[in-house]
Structures are given as structure tokens and as C-alpha cells.
Amino acid sequence: MWIFGYGSLVWRPGFPHVEDVVCYVKGYKRVWHQGSTDHRGTPEQPGRTVTMEPSGDEGDLVWGRAFKVRDEDIEQVMAYLLEREKQYDIEA
């Protein structure tokens, strides 16, 4: 399995991987529309977090890193990422 990182995962993935490559995703842009009270901010003012959304323009690129995870590590890595990335569904 490959995991694409475009924010803090780029410099601090925090999970086991066997390969990583610098790459990009076409047709998306970075936005700061989501918030988090878990990592920063307060319930009244969630801290801004970066996310991606379709841009409608195939010429737009989001650069990041892709990490190859071994099959035997997928369950552990997904559990780690679910905890690390929680609360990123809050609109800020």
C-alpha cells in the first residue's frame, strides 16, 4: 500500500515504510479549511490544518511524498494514522 503525505507526513511520517518518493497529485490544491482542537486550537477556535480538495484544474499540483508500507504493517500504520489524523473533519 502507498500513502500520500502532503503536510507534516512529508517530514515526519512516524510509521514504518520500505520506500518513499517525492511526487505530486494532479487536479488538487492545498486549503486551510479544516480545524483541530486535538493538535491545536480550542473548541471555540479550532486551529487551522491543511487538507486537499479538488481544484477543477488538472494543471494544479500538490507536491508531497508517497510512502510504501509492507502488507504486514498496514493494520498498524492505519491505526496510527487514524489516531494522528483524528478531528480533521471539523470545518474551521
Side-chain angles (χ1 to χ4, degrees):
M1 178 176 72
W2 286 87
I3 295 173
F4 179 69
Y6 58 91
S8 62
L9 286 179
V10 170
W11 62 85
R12 188 176 52 88
F15 56 84
H17 55 282
V18 294
E19 184 179 350
D20 66 270
V21 295
V22 174
C23 59
Y24 58 83
V25 177
K26 291 182 178 182
Y28 282 79
K29 62 183 177 179
R30 281 187 174 95
V31 294
W32 294 87
H33 296 171
Q34 292 181 313
S36 172
T37 58
D38 182 54
H39 301 304
R40 58 185 66 88
T42 65
E44 297 78 28
Q45 292 189 310
R48 298 283 181 161
T49 58
V50 69
T51 190
M52 290 176 21
E53 68 180 27
S55 67
D57 181 347
E58 284 298 312
D60 287 341
L61 306 174
V62 173
W63 283 91
R65 280 173 66 196
F67 303 91
K68 186 174 185 177
V69 177
R70 296 182 309 169
D71 289 343
E72 56 267 30
D73 292 331
I74 290 173
E75 188 175 335
Q76 169 195 349
V77 169
M78 292 305 294
Y80 167 77
L81 289 173
L82 285 172
E83 176 65 24
R84 176 177 168 158
E85 303 298 319
K86 69 182 177 182
Q87 286 198 343
Y88 285 154
D89 59 347
I90 300 171
E91 292 278 334

